[in-house]
Structures are given as C-alpha cells and as structure tokens.
Amino acid sequence: MDFMRLQKNNSQAGSPISIHKRSERRLTPELAAYHWAGSAFRQESVYNISSSGLYLQTDERWEPGQVVSLTFQRKGPPEKESPRRIAVQARAVRCGRDGVGLSFELPSGMDLHFWESPLKSASEQTEPEDILSEFRLAEAISFLAQICPSDEDAIRGLLREGLSNYRVMSAIEIVLRAKELVGLSAGVDKVTASSRVILRILQDGSWADTESIQQLWAGLLATACSETGGDDSNLTFVNLFSQLTPGHIRLLAAACTRSPKILTGTGKISSRPVDCTTQELMRFTGLRDVIRIDRDIEFLSDLGLFMRRVKTSFFTAEDAKIAPTTLGLLLYARCNGFRGTPQDFYGVTLTDSHAMAAGA
C-alpha cells in the first residue's frame, strides 16, 4: 500500500478511508475521542465516523500504520462510568489538513453495524450514546461468540433483534462485566460455555435494572465459562437466581456475608444462624413490612437457600435468625464470579471450624 499516494489523494477533511470496504459515514458533532498526548489526556472532535473508521480533527500527525488508543464519549469532561465511554484501537491511515483518518482495529469477530436501526431517525443514530451502544453491543457479541461459537447466530439474533432496547442494554452490561471477570483468570482465550446457560442468563438477566444485580448475573455468566465447556451446572443456579426479587437477593447477601461458616465432617461448608434485629432486616431488604420480610425468608427456605427456622407464631426480633444453606452459600459465591470451592471463597478452614465448635 502506497500510503504517501493515499495521503495525497485524500487531503480533504473527512474524506473516506479507502483501505477498507467503504461504509456509510456520518457527521458526529457531539462525539469526542480522548487520547494520551505525552502526559496529558487530550480531547479531540470526531468529524465523522463509519463502521470501518473515523476522521479525527486533531493537531496530531500520526504516521500511517501507527495504532492509537482512543476513548469515545460525548463531548465534555472524561466520563468515569463505563457505559458512557468505550476504548477502541485505531490505525492511522492518512493525514488531512485538519486531522487524521483512522481505521478501526477491532478484535476478531467484532463487527459494527451503524445506522441500521429501523426505529430511529438518522439524527438519533449519530448521538454519542447510540454510537457507544453499538460498540458495546458488538463487543458483547464478539465475546459470546468466542465462548459459544456453535450458537453464535442464536446469540446474535437475540441481542440484535430478540430483546427490547431496555433489555439489550442490561444484557450488554452483564456480558461486558462477565468478560472482565473471565479476563482476570488464566487461559481466557480457551474457555467456552454451555449455550443453554448463556441464553438463559441473557433472557432472564436482561430484566435486571440495577448495577448490583447485573453484577451478580455477570458472576453467574463468568462462572459458566470453563476450559472444558458444555458444563450445565450453572443452570441450577440460574434457575434459582431468576426466581429472586431484589429483596430476596439482599437477604441472601446479608446472610452469606454475616453468618459464621463451618466445615462439616464431610468437608462441606455450612453456616450457623446469625441474629438479626427487625430494623436490620428492614435495612437489608429495603422493606418496612415485617410480614413481607417474614414471607421472603420463608420463600428462601422453600428454595433451599436458607435453613428452616423454628419460630413462634409472631415475627419478633428474637425470631430473626437466618442462616444460608450450603446451596445458598454456593449460589452467592457463583454470583460473585468465584468458581472454586466455597470454602476458599469464604476463607473457611477446618481449624476455624474446630475453634468455633470449641467456643460454642
């Protein structure tokens, strides 16, 4: 490729990048790209963008072929929240009078599809939030295709057409959080997952509307990944977690983090009841209705996540003893992205159990 000739022929700002198949380019007046310039994090204006690249208005003059790290967001101060920004690699192609043309260096299997929504006008689709959403969706599909290559079409169809916009945003957040969790472990490029589990997580988890619950769904997705693949064991936990309301989840989290843990004679982890006042239970659940809280505890017991309580006919502070079962402890560990033994997750040793028994 003769980059000098390419640079000369494309000296006008915003002209198409010709080393890729041409795709429709649109002006993006509110989209900015941050990059490091020495020790400063500099904001530049994105003149136009397409599914293959962009033209960046900047004083920089990167050499053709040089790879640059860019962070896209709406113009303004650097965003701290991940849904409001996206990091992208781009390769410099040419220099214009007022900037540089770059082509995207996307991971294998990541394809962008700008300007294809039939439900939005052309101007709406050039809003920074829509552009960032497409990048995040493409990244999520790319990761899922990596761990579930045999069902890529089903996953792609679900995320691009099968879910409402609201649920797609939640599903994307779950997948990208899971990708981060999986990336923390070794051999990330070798893990696969059961498509039954992944599709079920996308279907049920996409209803989650809070970051804390999305993070727990992400933990389940991450722990569904393994080097052997095809492991449906997490389907049990997905079935259980999908039945829990936010109040149930907060109760389970409180019980799992507060209760004393012990190891049984067979080496399995268990717990002892922890006393909770009525006010504490109200704070955990966000509920003021004591009868509702009582029913929620019974529901968790019915699912096998809490031990059965021996209580009087009236719900009082003295009756508020909760203890997660082995299944409940394991579910909470999986939701936190931990696939090892629950003993390791909770930091329980046989010595601890003997000490606790001696002090009982």
Side-chain angles (χ1 to χ4, degrees), residues 107-111 135-149 152 155-156 159 171-185 187-193 198 201-202 217-218 220-226:
S108 176
M110 181 173 171
D111 298 314
F135 270 108
R136 289 168 58 80
L137 175 57
E139 182 182 356
I141 291 175
S142 174
F143 171 67
L144 294 176
Q146 175 187 346
I147 63 174
C148 290
E152 178 181 352
I155 291 170
R156 186 183 302 274
L159 290 180
I172 291 172
E173 190 65 24
I174 290 168
V175 174
L176 295 185
R177 287 171 181 261
K179 181 182 178 182
E180 291 181 3
L181 291 173
V182 172
L184 297 177
S185 61
V188 61
D189 57 334
K190 300 179 181 179
V191 299
T192 57
I198 299 304
I201 289 175
L202 295 177
W217 276 111
L220 283 178
L221 197 158
T223 52
C225 300
S226 68

Side-chain angles (χ1 to χ4, degrees), residues 132-282:
L132 298 182
S133 178
E134 175 57 30
F135 270 108
R136 289 168 58 80
L137 175 57
E139 182 182 356
I141 291 175
S142 174
F143 171 67
L144 294 176
Q146 175 187 346
I147 63 174
C148 290
S150 62
D151 285 276
E152 178 181 352
D153 290 342
I155 291 170
R156 186 183 302 274
L158 178 64
L159 290 180
R160 288 216 175 267
E161 300 175 0
L163 300 177
S164 65
N165 288 341
Y166 166 81
R167 292 177 64 192
V168 167
M169 296 300 291
S170 181
I172 291 172
E173 190 65 24
I174 290 168
V175 174
L176 295 185
R177 287 171 181 261
K179 181 182 178 182
E180 291 181 3
L181 291 173
V182 172
L184 297 177
S185 61
V188 61
D189 57 334
K190 300 179 181 179
V191 299
T192 57
S194 164
S195 60
R196 291 179 61 202
V197 176
I198 299 304
L199 287 169
R200 181 68 186 279
I201 289 175
L202 295 177
Q203 287 279 10
D204 293 352
S206 59
W207 292 104
D209 58 359
T210 63
E211 290 185 8
S212 58
I213 297 180
Q214 289 169 354
Q215 183 65 44
L216 297 176
W217 276 111
L220 283 178
L221 197 158
T223 52
C225 300
S226 68
E227 292 188 6
T228 57
D231 181 5
D232 284 345
S233 64
N234 256 28
L235 198 57
T236 298
F237 300 108
V238 173
N239 289 335
L240 287 169
F241 196 67
S242 65
Q243 299 179 62
L244 304 184
T245 65
H248 295 144
I249 295 170
R250 287 191 287 268
L251 270 174
L252 178 65
C256 289
T257 53
R258 290 166 59 94
S259 62
K261 316 298 188 302
I262 57 174
L263 293 180
T264 66
T266 59
K268 290 185 177 181
I269 192 169
S270 185
S271 69
R272 291 185 172 179
V274 58
D275 293 321
C276 296
T277 67
T278 304
Q279 291 299 319
E280 285 177 323
L281 290 172
M282 288 181 177

Side-chain angles (χ1 to χ4, degrees), residues 32-44 60 68-74 76-80 85-88:
Y34 274 93
H35 68 92
W36 285 103
S39 60
F41 199 42
R42 181 182 298 174
Q43 177 181 255
E44 313 283 13
E60 298 284 349
V68 182
S69 296
L70 301 174
T71 298
F72 293 133
Q73 64 163 69
R74 179 178 282 276
E79 294 282 359
K80 296 181 180 180
R85 53 181 169 78
I86 190 76
V88 178

Side-chain angles (χ1 to χ4, degrees), residues 2 5 18 66 72-74 82 89 101 109 127 141 147 162 171 208 223 262 285 289 303 326 333 341:
D2 185 350
R5 184 176 60 187
S18 59
Q66 182 177 346
F72 293 133
Q73 64 163 69
R74 179 178 282 276
S82 58
Q89 297 287 304
E127 287 296 314
I141 291 175
I147 63 174
T223 52
I262 57 174
T285 61
D289 186 342
L303 289 179
T326 299
T341 66

Side-chain angles (χ1 to χ4, degrees), residues 2 8 37 56 84 106 119 145 148 173 181 225 244 260 288 291 296 316 345 356:
D2 185 350
K8 180 179 179 181
L56 192 67
R84 297 180 179 274
L106 302 177
L119 303 178
C148 290
E173 190 65 24
L181 291 173
C225 300
L244 304 184
R288 306 297 299 176
I291 296 177
D296 284 350
T316 65
F345 177 76
M356 189 177 298

